[in-house]
Amino acid sequence: MDALTSEVPSTSSVAHHATGSSTISAANESIPERGKSNSSSSLMSRMVLNDNKAGMEGLDKEKINQIIYEASKGSKFYENERKKEEQLNLRIKEQQFQMDKLTPGKLQEGIREADRIIENLNQRYDLSHTIVHVDMDAFYAAVEMRDDPRLRNKPMAVGGMGMLSTSNYIARRFGVRAAMPGFIGLKLCPDLVMVKPNFTKYTAVSHLIREIFATYDPNFCPMSLDEAYLDFTSHLDWRITSSAIDRTFLLRPRSVLDASNIESSADSACVCDLNKVLRPLLVSSDELQERTLSDFSVSTVIEKLCQNSERFKICPECQKSFPSFKAKVYGVSTEDAVLEMRNRIEQRTLLTASAGIAPNTMLAKVCSDRNKPNGQFRIQPSREEVTNFVESLPIRKISGVGKVTEKLLGALGVSICSDLHLQRGVLYHLFSPTSFRYFMRISLGLGSTLIERDGERKSMSTERTFNELNQPEELYEKCRELSRALAEDLQEDRLVGKTVTLKIKTVAFEVKTRSHTLQYDTNDENKIFQAAKQLLKTEMKAEAPQPLRLRLMGVRMSKLSSDSGRCTLTSMFQRQMEKNSVTGTAPAKVDVEDKPSDRLDLTGLAGTSDVVEGDFHCIESTGDDDCAITSSDCDMQNVEKWDQNDNGCSEFDVKRLLEAKRHTAKKGSQGKGKQTVSILNFVRKADEKQTPKVCDESEDSSCSLFENSKSEAVVVIDGEYEEAVPERGDILFAKVPSEAVPEFTNEEPDLVRCPICCQQKRNWPLDLFNDHVDLCLNKQTIKDILQDQESQMASTSSSTPSDLNMTTNRKRQKQDVQLPSQKKGVKRSKGQSSLLSFFK
DNA sequence: GCGGATCAC
DNA sequence: TATGGTGATCCGC
């Protein structure tokens, strides 16, 4: 979290503390020889080594930073960083200015207000939870080392020349760390071995550890493949009453573990996790049914059993003999419980984890880093212990305080958490209420005590870095690829969204985002592409006559909702069609969302699946250069031919088309086929006799069904440019053929029927009809929701969290530092009535 | 609603 | 030769 953007000043009373100006390498300057001024001139705080990581204590930062600087200076990346640094320094100056303006009276007021807020926060002090943060040690690197013993004694990192994701502890001694480009890692450590990441493997390991997590807290909250928050409170309660057997686990010694992952002869010992294959056998054996066995006797009994009984000598999984192991009975204490979990993880994965134990997530996170690797640390749940711990803690250790916040606060004389309290009067005035509150919570050692699963996802995106692209066709092609990938991802998760955002990064590393909100939800590749392309086009124009030179492009969809069970007009009509197929009625088929780029489907209408010509004034966009508007009577003079664009795919200037349409309407020409210029993907027409008095604008306002002067029902998709720009395969219509008319044989002329509930009314006024349909849609939605909930309720009792079924390494995260989470319920449509009104 | 910035992993 | 991808939030406008 940031929240620290704008008006952030500093006080002059702490000016001597301030590292405000751009002077030297900043970060945490506890190193005494820091007195040396910036001889290497612009060592920026944002370019120096971030050693805020386990295994990076006491490095020769001076030397490392020099190497980093030498490797970076003069690059485009470096120049951009320098620019950002200057910006930050400006912000600090502004902060300083604001602080200087603070009068003693103002400061007093700030302190008063701060104390009031603190008092308030204190009311919520809650030490009743035991929160555990677990973090695998150097996860990706550890997996690779485990699987390739040759890597074990070498400095290595996972990643490539471009970027490293993790480094092992040996490499960290050289200053090589995550988020560092590989080529710099090589400069710091010429012997560095770089290994390509293998996410499939990491995901598999993640499954294993999550299975174990779930046994301590079925509602644990994974933050990434290798990290999670768990609420141990309930487990610890259970532990008190548990038997010794419940707390007994089988441990292969480390030497056995190390050997177990090395290729060996067929007759070697079993390498399965004994807690998976052998422990269940033991636990259910008659000999161990005596639940009152003492801690001591359990291990003795197990030992004897395994020595004497053949049943416990051969692994049922691999048929090999079990290796040597010991049975360890863990105590009922918090520390024992966490140690047990970590040991089980190690037995299962041959990898070590570290853990932090504290009354809330904020502290637990800090603790898990304290005794890394392969260690754990606990803050006792007392007010004193918490205060003690927090007091001297550098603010940078807190999740949510990054290097910018660190520097901003540093300029105010705040570097450790107790400083936040000392400077509360100033902070109150200089930061937003959100930020201030966050700071006060930190200084008190307050954090979230609730471990919540992530709510609904809020956005989904795809972005790619590449070698410079600057040709329009190349850029459009990239945009197309990204749109396609995003559409696929959205569809896989059955999500649709409204806001399309284009992200670009120029070759100078400047990042821009441009977004557009559609009138409707979609996850269709073409729709997304049209929007993104338009945004891209605008950016290219802004750059003209220079080419737009990019090194990255991304497409994001936000304002998401679920596509499953969604009550679109589409699905309504489809449902209705199915119902009516027996009786022969066939309401207009509006199929925009599902098959947007399909050709006009006249199958079953006029007995042909081809595009009908002649009376039609239709043009199919073939994407060819020679594609032109040929509508005969429609006044299309303002419509020029398609721009050649987008990699051979023609682009149509819709504004002009719409202009032509308006023009036509104004002229009032009533000749054949002149009334309507519709851009559409699908169209159906009603029988003259049965012309529906429909002018139905569904939730998808870009898709309207209306009646033209020929008493024809036409589906028009002509809202905004995104949906209007014809794509290859789209069809432009000026008129609808009367041959292709489905018969509404079973309906009376003025009878209007709700497509959802099938209620019929004569001369149903349009607005009332719309309201009714709205209501019906909601009703169906509610039903679906309730059904969902019921089925969920039925399955909640299962202790296995659904998240164990990870399919991608995409993750959602949640920070405890934010405002109270606004749990997003299911989206409500306008005019939704209460549940009661639906069902009474 | 949009765009820039910050942060975590 | 060469500095990532995904998701979230906050702030100011």
Side-chain angles (χ1 to χ4, degrees):
Chain A
M1 99 139 228
D2 159 38
L4 313 176
T5 51
S6 65
E7 13 86 66
V8 186
S10 0
T11 69
S12 53
S13 62
V14 290
H16 60 282
H17 256 291
T19 61
S21 58
S22 66
T23 53
I24 6 182
S25 80
N28 315 330
E29 286 327 333
S30 49
I31 306 175
E33 67 264 22
R34 205 334 105 251
K36 183 178 168 193
S37 102
N38 49 340
S39 58
S40 49
S41 64
S42 38
L43 269 193
M44 305 172 284
S45 68
R46 54 187 325 114
M47 285 296 290
V48 301
L49 177 73
N50 175 0
D51 63 351
N52 180 33
K53 196 165 184 70
M56 305 202 68
E57 303 81 10
L59 299 183
D60 185 352
K61 281 189 73 178
E62 195 80 26
K63 189 175 154 200
I64 291 169
N65 285 332
Q66 191 63 38
I67 294 174
I68 294 177
Y69 170 69
E70 291 297 333
S72 302
K73 70 177 175 193
S75 68
K76 296 245 172 77
F77 176 80
Y78 181 83
E79 289 310 311
N80 187 251
E81 289 298 297
R82 215 162 51 84
K83 235 168 74 185
K84 288 199 278 187
E85 182 83 359
E86 274 166 21
Q87 245 175 288
L88 178 55
N89 288 330
L90 270 181
R91 219 169 120 186
I92 288 173
K93 279 209 177 101
E94 174 65 13
Q95 193 180 253
Q96 201 77 36
F97 178 70
Q98 297 291 333
M99 183 162 92
D100 291 344
K101 282 201 317 197
L102 287 181
T103 62
K106 273 278 183 195
L107 265 181
Q108 276 311 309
E109 181 201 324
I111 291 176
R112 258 201 323 276
E113 283 304 300
D115 288 343
R116 196 178 52 77
I117 290 168
I118 290 169
E119 179 54 33
N120 215 300
L121 288 173
N122 270 328
Q123 308 279 328
R124 304 193 196 171
Y125 226 91
D126 181 0
L127 298 169
S128 65
H129 288 259
T130 303
I131 307 297
V132 177
H133 180 254
V134 201
D135 195 338
M136 300 296 290
D137 302 320
F139 186 47
Y140 298 170
V143 172
E144 299 302 335
M145 287 164 72
R146 177 194 71 177
D147 295 345
D148 185 353
R150 292 169 303 174
L151 297 172
R152 289 184 192 173
N153 296 312
K154 293 179 186 162
M156 61 87 62
V158 176
M161 279 306 219
M163 189 56 58
L164 303 178
S165 329
T166 331
S167 58
N168 69 3
Y169 280 79
I170 304 174
R172 289 183 195 186
R173 298 316 302 159
F174 294 86
V176 178
R177 58 156 298 160
M180 176 180 277
F183 72 93
I184 290 187
L186 273 180
K187 287 210 157 69
L188 288 170
C189 172
D191 292 333
L192 182 70
V193 181
M194 289 194 292
V195 179
K196 288 252 164 291
N198 181 344
F199 286 101
T200 311
K201 214 154 66 171
Y202 312 146
T203 304
V205 177
S206 193
H207 269 291
L208 300 180
I209 64 176
R210 289 183 187 190
E211 264 179 38
I212 293 175
F213 291 160
T215 64
Y216 295 92
D217 175 9
N219 300 314
F220 75 93
C221 179
M223 301 301 288
S224 61
L225 288 182
D226 78 315
E227 228 190 280
Y229 287 103
L230 290 77
D231 188 339
F232 260 54
T233 316
S234 299
H235 171 80
L236 292 170
D237 288 343
W238 167 85
R239 220 171 161 82
I240 302 288
T241 63
S242 65
S243 74
I245 300 168
D246 294 328
R247 290 178 275 107
T248 301
F249 289 88
L250 311 180
L251 306 181
R252 292 165 288 171
R254 188 66 225 191
S255 56
V256 172
L257 291 185
D258 287 340
S260 73
N261 205 44
I262 299 176
E263 289 299 320
S264 45
S265 58
D267 58 9
S268 64
C270 151
V271 297
C272 303
D273 180 2
L274 301 181
N275 292 313
K276 190 96 173 177
V277 295
L278 178 55
R279 184 175 184 274
L281 298 180
L282 290 168
V283 168
S284 60
S285 70
D286 295 337
E287 293 87 338
L288 276 164
Q289 285 317 295
E290 178 49 73
R291 307 294 286 176
T292 57
L293 284 174
S294 74
D295 287 12
F296 176 74
S297 51
V298 167
S299 46
T300 319
V301 170
I302 288 179
E303 214 166 282
K304 277 192 177 165
L305 264 178
C306 292
Q307 271 172 15
N308 302 330
S309 170
E310 291 303 314
R311 280 183 296 155
F312 305 120
K313 285 191 171 163
I314 301 295
C315 172
E317 292 287 315
C318 64
Q319 315 304 329
K320 297 177 183 175
S321 56
F322 286 122
S324 67
F325 65 89
K326 67 173 186 176
K328 176 163 179 175
V329 186
Y330 294 86
V332 297
S333 74
T334 305
E335 282 83 353
D336 278 10
V338 174
L339 178 63
E340 172 191 295
M341 175 179 69
R342 290 178 40 238
N343 286 346
R344 287 175 63 191
I345 289 172
E346 187 178 6
Q347 291 292 316
R348 190 99 178 83
T349 68
L350 315 186
L351 303 168
T352 61
S354 296
I357 311 159
N360 63 57
T361 56
M362 185 211 92
L363 294 171
K365 175 84 171 101
V366 179
C367 290
S368 67
D369 209 46
R370 203 76 164 200
N371 280 325
K372 222 168 207 322
N374 200 12
Q376 62 188 53
F377 182 86
R378 180 183 189 195
I379 297 176
Q380 298 295 330
S382 84
R383 193 67 199 252
E384 257 183 281
E385 294 287 328
V386 170
T387 308
N388 239 330
F389 180 87
V390 160
E391 232 170 23
S392 57
L393 187 68
I395 49 166
R396 186 65 169 90
K397 293 283 182 190
I398 276 97
S399 173
V401 176
K403 49 185 168 189
V404 171
T405 307
E406 179 188 28
K407 189 165 173 176
L408 282 172
L409 287 175
L412 299 176
V414 175
S415 59
I416 57 176
C417 293
S418 49
D419 294 336
L420 290 170
H421 186 260
L422 290 178
Q423 296 291 1
R424 62 194 185 285
V426 179
L427 298 176
Y428 178 81
H429 288 294
L430 302 197
F431 289 87
S432 72
T434 311
S435 296
F436 179 75
R437 205 183 143 79
Y438 170 59
F439 291 150
M440 291 306 102
R441 284 169 60 97
I442 293 173
S443 76
L444 292 170
L446 279 171
S448 171
T449 55
L450 264 182
I451 305 296
E452 286 177 298
R453 297 303 263 208
D454 293 332
E456 301 169 15
R457 107 169 21 242
K458 296 186 173 56
S459 72
M460 189 182 266
S461 65
T462 304
E463 69 187 58
R464 214 55 54 186
T465 294
F466 38 75
N467 290 325
E468 171 169 354
L469 293 182
N470 53 45
Q471 296 301 306
E473 313 86 65
E474 298 172 335
L475 293 170
Y476 284 134
E477 176 58 23
K478 184 59 73 179
C479 184
R480 162 68 81 181
E481 279 171 29
L482 292 164
S483 301
R484 179 178 305 130
L486 177 59
E488 280 168 10
D489 289 352
L490 285 166
Q491 287 157 19
E492 191 173 328
D493 279 17
R494 305 190 117 259
L495 288 170
V496 289
K498 259 192 162 69
T499 301
V500 176
T501 302
L502 175 78
K503 175 177 173 182
I504 58 177
K505 192 192 281 179
T506 68
V507 289
F509 286 89
E510 292 163 341
V511 177
K512 286 179 194 162
T513 60
R514 295 291 179 264
S515 62
H516 179 83
T517 301
L518 303 171
Q519 298 291 318
Y520 54 90
D521 287 322
T522 189
N523 59 15
D524 175 65
E525 173 191 334
N526 289 317
K527 301 271 194 293
I528 295 170
F529 176 56
Q530 293 307 331
K533 188 171 83 172
Q534 187 62 35
L535 294 166
L536 176 57
K537 191 176 171 187
T538 305
E539 288 312 297
M540 292 185 349
K541 277 186 183 161
E543 204 69 12
Q546 314 294 337
L548 182 64
R549 306 175 58 198
L550 299 185
R551 76 181 328 274
L552 170 145
M553 192 186 297
V555 182
R556 177 167 74 240
M557 183 67 88
S558 48
K559 293 210 172 22
L560 300 181
S561 28
S562 170
D563 195 20
S564 59
R566 211 161 54 105
C567 295
T568 60
L569 208 53
T570 306
S571 59
M572 290 306 130
F573 279 120
Q574 270 173 352
R575 233 172 276 178
Q576 189 64 23
M577 289 245 282
E578 283 157 20
K579 273 187 201 160
N580 289 339
S581 60
V582 184
T583 63
T585 57
K589 179 182 179 188
V590 185
D591 196 342
V592 178
E593 296 290 347
D594 298 350
K595 302 199 281 179
S597 61
D598 279 2
R599 299 189 171 199
L600 176 67
D601 182 9
L602 297 175
T603 315
L605 287 181
T608 172
S609 58
D610 294 325
V611 174
V612 184
E613 291 181 332
D615 205 14
F616 274 124
H617 299 271
C618 68
I619 305 144
E620 184 179 357
S621 165
T622 61
D624 293 339
D625 190 29
D626 60 0
C627 179
I629 303 292
T630 59
S631 176
S632 58
D633 294 320
C634 178
D635 184 344
M636 298 295 270
Q637 63 201 13
N638 290 325
V639 182
E640 295 174 11
K641 64 176 182 181
W642 309 55
D643 292 14
Q644 188 64 23
N645 216 329
D646 179 32
N647 197 27
C649 189
S650 297
E651 182 180 330
F652 187 74
D653 190 332
V654 169
K655 277 188 187 158
R656 287 188 187 149
L657 176 61
L658 295 179
E659 186 52 43
K661 176 181 166 184
R662 270 195 294 277
H663 196 227
T664 308
K666 210 159 108 188
K667 271 172 65 177
S669 50
Q670 294 294 313
K672 254 199 326 192
K674 284 183 185 172
Q675 296 80 7
T676 309
V677 176
S678 314
I679 307 169
L680 49 86
N681 295 333
F682 298 92
V683 65
R684 277 261 182 119
K685 179 197 163 303
D687 183 303
E688 283 95 325
K689 294 178 197 162
Q690 298 293 336
T691 299
K693 300 266 187 244
V694 174
C695 182
D696 190 349
E697 298 198 352
S698 69
E699 56 180 290
D700 183 344
S701 65
S702 65
C703 167
S704 47
L705 180 64
F706 69 93
E707 176 189 15
N708 68 13
S709 64
K710 287 273 189 186
S711 289
E712 294 160 341
V714 182
V715 179
V716 178
I717 304 160
D718 70 356
E720 302 184 31
Y721 62 81
E722 303 78 11
E723 54 272 23
V725 178
E727 273 291 292
R728 192 191 299 266
D730 282 356
I731 296 164
L732 310 185
F733 272 82
K735 187 179 170 248
V736 183
S738 54
E739 303 88 274
V741 169
E743 300 281 322
F744 284 81
T745 50
N746 285 355
E747 305 238 359
E748 295 175 47
D750 298 324
L751 209 54
V752 179
R753 184 167 61 170
C754 169
I756 298 97
C757 71
C758 298
Q759 190 181 344
Q760 302 188 34
K761 275 189 191 170
R762 215 168 289 281
N763 297 321
W764 207 338
L766 181 63
D767 47 349
L768 294 184
F769 171 74
N770 278 338
D771 284 350
H772 171 88
V773 171
D774 244 16
L775 199 70
C776 270
L777 290 172
N778 284 326
K779 193 171 177 175
Q780 186 60 45
T781 307
I782 300 278
K783 277 186 183 166
D784 290 349
I785 295 165
L786 289 178
Q787 218 159 28
D788 268 7
Q789 280 177 348
E790 270 174 39
S791 57
Q792 262 178 19
M793 297 269 267
S795 63
T796 328
S797 48
S798 150
S799 67
T800 306
S802 59
D803 202 85
L804 286 177
N805 289 323
M806 317 171 282
T807 54
T808 71
N809 60 354
R810 290 247 173 77
K811 69 231 162 173
R812 275 166 277 160
Q813 54 208 22
K814 159 180 86 96
Q815 297 174 359
D816 64 306
V817 297
Q818 305 304 352
L819 288 175
S821 63
Q822 329 85 324
K823 277 237 144 178
K824 291 268 178 1
V826 175
K827 215 168 82 181
R828 289 174 161 244
S829 319
K830 276 181 239 168
Q832 183 164 7
S833 311
S834 72
L835 277 176
L836 274 181
S837 76
F838 276 100
F839 294 108
K840 72 181 171 190

